[in-house]
Amino acid sequence: MTSPSGLPARTDRLIVMGVLNVTPDSFSDGGRYTDLDSAVAHAVQMTAQGADLIDVGGESTRPGAVRVAAEEEGRRVLPVIGELAAAGLAVSVDTYRAAVAEQALAAGARIVNDVSGGLGDPDMARVVRDAGCPWVLMHWRGHSASMAALAQYDDVVADVRAELMTRVDEALAAGVAASQLVLDPGLGFAKRPAHNWALLAHLEAITGLGLPVLIGSSRKSFLGSLLAGSEGQARPTSGREAATTALTMFAALNGAWGVRVHEVGPNVDAALVAAAILAVR
């Protein structure tokens, strides 16, 4: 599999990124890992289960989330990143603020996972270029408070592909190397359930761009809608793990470079099963 420069490549399976939200309000695990000890312990546990990378985020990007100040975001993530990096864990920072990314890289993060694809902060390209680190460019149309109204597409697959290509072109124009870039179609971000399913069904349109592709579907609301009970009530986040693991298998079999998940162990197992199948095709 293609791997971005600056991150160890795997040949046995796709990359599994473990989610570590040090926030009080993330949609699935907000408030669980807001103190340093619990955050570090959870990261160590995910690494023991096979996580290749721990993705530390200090600001919720769930629909309707209210932004926090950059100083607060840094206060949440920097001590955790420093502790994990000192312990030898591979860490990414989930931010779209250049100042936070720059401080996180200095604290030991190895990759910037930018849900805005560079649109949230015009200085991000400089930070990534100067650091020479991998940069995840996610498809994004606006902040959490307004993104539901932005879920309008003529052809969601063609539109997302074209918009991601624009993000790549602008990153390259800013001096970021193509070998640093990872793409993410942004499932759940300014997407209705039908849009997410269409992007997954035509994942080759994104992987065909020739860059590594990260899939973040873990516990998202479109899975809750799919798994709704007889009364139409979406299944809670705690009941979406099997569906998440199924999508990890799908992503692995369809050319993704990595997945971003909350529950690491079952997804590592799914990735290994998919790799065994691919090995004898």
Side-chain angles (χ1 to χ4, degrees):
M1 290 178 191
T2 305
S3 182
S5 61
L7 203 66
R10 294 198 72 104
T11 58
D12 58 336
R13 60 166 173 79
L14 89 173
I15 295 293
V16 175
M17 176 187 285
V19 177
L20 180 57
N21 290 318
V22 288
T23 59
D25 57 342
S26 291
F27 81 96
S28 176
D29 55 0
R32 294 183 64 186
Y33 309 112
T34 53
D35 67 274
L36 183 61
D37 288 345
S38 64
V40 170
H42 186 55
V44 169
Q45 180 185 45
M46 288 192 289
T47 302
Q49 293 172 343
D52 303 289
L53 191 66
I54 304 299
D55 192 40
V56 181
E59 179 179 359
S60 175
T61 53
R62 62 177 174 78
V66 177
R67 298 215 67 190
V68 300
E71 293 77 10
E72 174 62 15
E73 185 184 358
R75 186 194 66 77
R76 293 173 180 179
V77 302
L78 295 175
V80 177
I81 290 171
E83 286 282 335
L84 298 182
L89 277 64
V91 182
S92 60
V93 60
D94 176 4
T95 185
Y96 48 100
R97 285 189 170 104
V100 174
E102 193 163 33
Q103 294 172 68
L105 292 167
R110 302 184 189 181
I111 181 170
V112 174
N113 181 16
D114 181 354
V115 299
S116 79
L119 290 169
D121 189 331
D123 200 33
M124 186 68 87
R126 177 198 62 80
V127 169
V128 173
R129 180 196 67 214
D130 292 352
C133 67
W135 186 16
V136 179
L137 297 173
M138 196 193 80
H139 178 264
W140 187 80
R141 283 187 163 183
H143 293 287
S144 298
S146 61
M147 68 181 176
L150 302 172
Q152 305 290 333
Y153 300 92
D154 293 325
D155 178 328
V156 67
V157 176
D159 292 351
V160 168
R161 185 180 189 275
E163 290 169 33
L164 280 173
M165 289 176 65
T166 298
R167 305 313 317 134
V168 170
D169 289 343
E170 294 194 4
L172 297 177
V176 179
S179 61
Q180 292 174 244
L181 301 178
V182 179
L183 301 181
D184 181 340
L187 300 178
F189 287 80
K191 316 281 190 314
R192 299 191 184 98
H195 296 145
N196 298 315
W197 294 119
L199 286 165
L200 288 165
H202 299 282
L203 189 56
E204 74 282 352
I206 309 301
T207 59
L209 293 172
L211 294 172
V213 173
L214 176 69
I215 298 296
S217 63
S218 184
R219 299 180 180 174
K220 288 191 173 176
S221 61
F222 75 100
L223 297 179
S225 298
L226 176 72
L227 304 172
S230 58
E231 297 181 357
Q233 187 172 3
R235 185 176 294 182
T237 55
S238 60
R240 301 173 190 172
E241 282 303 335
T244 297
T245 304
L247 282 182
T248 290
M249 169 75 83
F250 176 87
L253 291 174
N254 286 273
W257 164 80
V259 290
R260 181 179 183 275
V261 299
H262 295 84
E263 188 70 32
V264 169
N267 288 284
V268 168
D269 290 350
L272 288 168
V273 170
I277 293 169
L278 291 172
V280 295
R281 274 189 175 177

